[in-house]
Amino acid sequence: MPAKSDKFANRIYVLVIWFILAILAEGILRRWVLPGIGYALVFIRDPILLLIYATAIMGGFVGRNVRPMAVFIMASALYFAVVFIQISATALNPLIPAFGYRTYLLYFPLPFIMYHFLTRKHFESILKLIIVLSVPIGALTAIQYYSGPASIWNAAPEGMGDITYIDASRVRPYSVFTNSIAHVFFALIALCVFIRFLFFKRALGFPVLMIPIIGLATVTMGALSGARSYFILAPPII
């Protein structure tokens, strides 16, 4: 990994942790705590992302990562050129392409920033956080799977439409996320982390007795998701 400044690396590490927690908080707040302002909560993590980018720029990221930033700038320029043509030719609401840019392109620099600044110790802490989160998320997945469609556990997040079903009486669990795709991605990430954990458990400091609990939670997240994509992608990961 590139040489790192401790000051900027530690700041970005803390912000990345908050960013991960904000992703989980969005689903929790939109589904159970503050459903009345669900639309506004879509942007709960964006200020943290912008703080990460500002910190990275101050830490000299752009000058040392010309290629990924050039790709990001070129993709952004092409996107806005197409949007300009669409707005000129139609009555397209500018907020729609702005949200599309936020969804598809705004996050592009983040993994490069993490690679540039974060140390092995930082990444170990992030993996440990994912392992810890997997246990309650796995338990919640099971509760949602075995609860009825009208259960409070299966409330649909505001602004995301209705919940989806595996069959007529079985809801597809989202756990703490706002849609099943995000849940499946997290389940696959957790599977990767757990497999690594099996080989590096001492480095992460978990008791041996925690291994079957973490493993069960990890498998539960994917096995009960009702998503074919999980069962297609899990074998290659393993």
Side-chain angles (χ1 to χ4, degrees), residues 68-86 97 101 105-106 108:
M69 290 308 298
V71 171
F72 175 62
I73 292 170
M74 290 173 61
S76 298
L78 179 62
Y79 182 88
F80 285 117
V82 172
V83 167
F84 177 77
I85 294 172
Q86 289 178 322
Y101 179 80
L105 287 174
L106 187 59
F108 178 83

Side-chain angles (χ1 to χ4, degrees), residues 152-174:
I152 185 62
W153 298 107
N154 289 317
E158 185 184 44
M160 299 295 291
D162 296 327
I163 55 176
T164 56
Y165 294 84
I166 297 174
D167 54 43
S169 61
R170 185 81 66 187
V171 169
R172 174 170 291 178
Y174 292 177

Side-chain angles (χ1 to χ4, degrees), residues 57-228:
I57 292 171
M58 291 187 292
F61 169 78
V62 176
R64 299 171 188 168
N65 295 269
V66 175
R67 289 182 181 179
M69 290 308 298
V71 171
F72 175 62
I73 292 170
M74 290 173 61
S76 298
L78 179 62
Y79 182 88
F80 285 117
V82 172
V83 167
F84 177 77
I85 294 172
Q86 289 178 322
I87 292 177
S88 300
T90 66
L92 180 67
N93 185 339
L95 293 177
I96 296 175
F99 185 76
Y101 179 80
R102 177 258 189 189
T103 303
Y104 295 110
L105 287 174
L106 187 59
Y107 297 94
F108 178 83
L110 182 58
F112 297 97
I113 290 173
M114 291 175 65
Y115 173 78
H116 181 84
F117 285 99
L118 300 189
T119 65
R120 182 182 180 89
K121 183 178 179 181
H122 291 140
F123 279 107
E124 292 287 355
S125 296
I126 292 171
L127 295 181
K128 189 172 184 178
L129 174 64
I130 292 174
I131 289 173
V132 171
L133 292 172
S134 296
V135 175
I137 291 177
L140 178 59
T141 301
I143 292 172
Q144 291 173 331
Y145 182 84
Y146 291 107
S147 298
S151 169
I152 185 62
W153 298 107
N154 289 317
E158 185 184 44
M160 299 295 291
D162 296 327
I163 55 176
T164 56
Y165 294 84
I166 297 174
D167 54 43
S169 61
R170 185 81 66 187
V171 169
R172 174 170 291 178
Y174 292 177
S175 65
V176 295
F177 299 97
T178 54
N179 59 69
S180 60
I181 296 174
H183 172 84
V184 169
F185 279 154
F186 183 83
L188 290 169
I189 291 170
L191 179 62
C192 293
V193 173
F194 177 68
I195 292 173
R196 184 188 184 281
F197 170 66
L198 290 177
F199 295 97
F200 296 92
K201 53 184 178 298
R202 291 183 180 178
L204 295 177
F206 283 96
V208 175
L209 293 177
M210 283 294 295
I211 296 176
I213 297 175
I214 296 168
L216 179 61
T218 302
V219 171
T220 297
M221 276 189 285
L224 300 184
S225 66
R228 287 172 293 182

Side-chain angles (χ1 to χ4, degrees), residues 7-91:
K7 179 176 71 173
F8 291 107
N10 290 332
R11 287 179 182 175
I12 288 175
Y13 163 71
V14 172
L15 289 170
V16 167
I17 293 297
W18 280 108
F19 181 79
I20 294 171
L21 296 177
I23 294 174
L24 307 182
E26 178 193 343
I28 294 170
L29 293 172
R30 293 179 69 184
R31 298 183 73 171
W32 298 295
V33 182
L34 298 170
I37 57 171
Y39 286 99
L41 293 170
V42 171
F43 304 99
I44 188 174
R45 61 185 180 271
D46 291 357
I48 304 174
L49 181 69
L50 296 178
L51 278 174
I52 292 173
Y53 288 176
T55 305
I57 292 171
M58 291 187 292
F61 169 78
V62 176
R64 299 171 188 168
N65 295 269
V66 175
R67 289 182 181 179
M69 290 308 298
V71 171
F72 175 62
I73 292 170
M74 290 173 61
S76 298
L78 179 62
Y79 182 88
F80 285 117
V82 172
V83 167
F84 177 77
I85 294 172
Q86 289 178 322
I87 292 177
S88 300
T90 66

